[in-house]
Amino acid sequence: MNIETLLKFIDPALLVLIPTLWGIGMVIKRSCISNRFIPVILMICSCVFTAIYLSSTRFIFDYQEFMSWIFSSITQGCVIWLATWILYEKFIKEKDNAQNQS
């Protein structure tokens, strides 16, 4: 998947979460938490941060708006997590290629 295509689906105000999640991932990677849990932790963080942002920009008065808020939080959070993962993988590949050429 192309990162430019993926970024079209993300609310521009939420793009700040990509470097935030990257930083959280680096902190978790250096901790005693197993690497296999990092993607799950980052996805949960992404959905929670997105839910916090969306709750500050929407008024939730009824069940339909509440369900829309939950759906938007999960989908936007997962798309942001996926964008972060794709950028991380691209960064690692470029780093490995640079090391192999040296």
Side-chain angles (χ1 to χ4, degrees):
M1 176 171 275
N2 191 348
I3 191 67
E4 288 82 19
T5 306
L6 189 61
L7 291 177
K8 291 179 186 177
F9 295 104
I10 299 175
D11 182 356
L14 294 171
L15 289 175
V16 71
L17 287 179
I18 294 174
T20 304
L21 290 173
W22 189 311
I24 292 171
M26 289 294 122
V27 169
I28 294 171
K29 190 169 183 81
R30 291 186 179 110
S31 71
C32 62
I33 297 173
S34 175
N35 285 347
R36 67 182 178 154
F37 296 120
I38 294 174
V40 175
I41 293 169
L42 291 179
M43 185 181 293
I44 291 169
C45 288
S46 178
C47 292
V48 168
F49 292 153
T50 302
I52 290 169
Y53 169 75
L54 291 177
S55 66
S56 70
T57 61
R58 294 184 181 187
F59 294 108
I60 302 171
F61 291 114
D62 61 4
Y63 180 74
Q64 184 178 5
E65 291 174 356
F66 179 72
M67 295 307 289
S68 173
W69 171 73
I70 289 176
F71 177 77
S72 297
S73 298
I74 292 172
T75 55
Q76 282 287 303
C78 289
V79 170
I80 291 168
W81 169 78
L82 184 60
T84 305
W85 180 47
I86 289 172
L87 287 172
Y88 178 74
E89 290 292 321
K90 183 177 177 182
F91 174 76
I92 294 297
K93 287 179 185 177
E94 289 176 2
K95 182 180 172 186
D96 289 343
N97 288 340
Q99 288 178 349
N100 289 341
Q101 291 177 357
S102 300

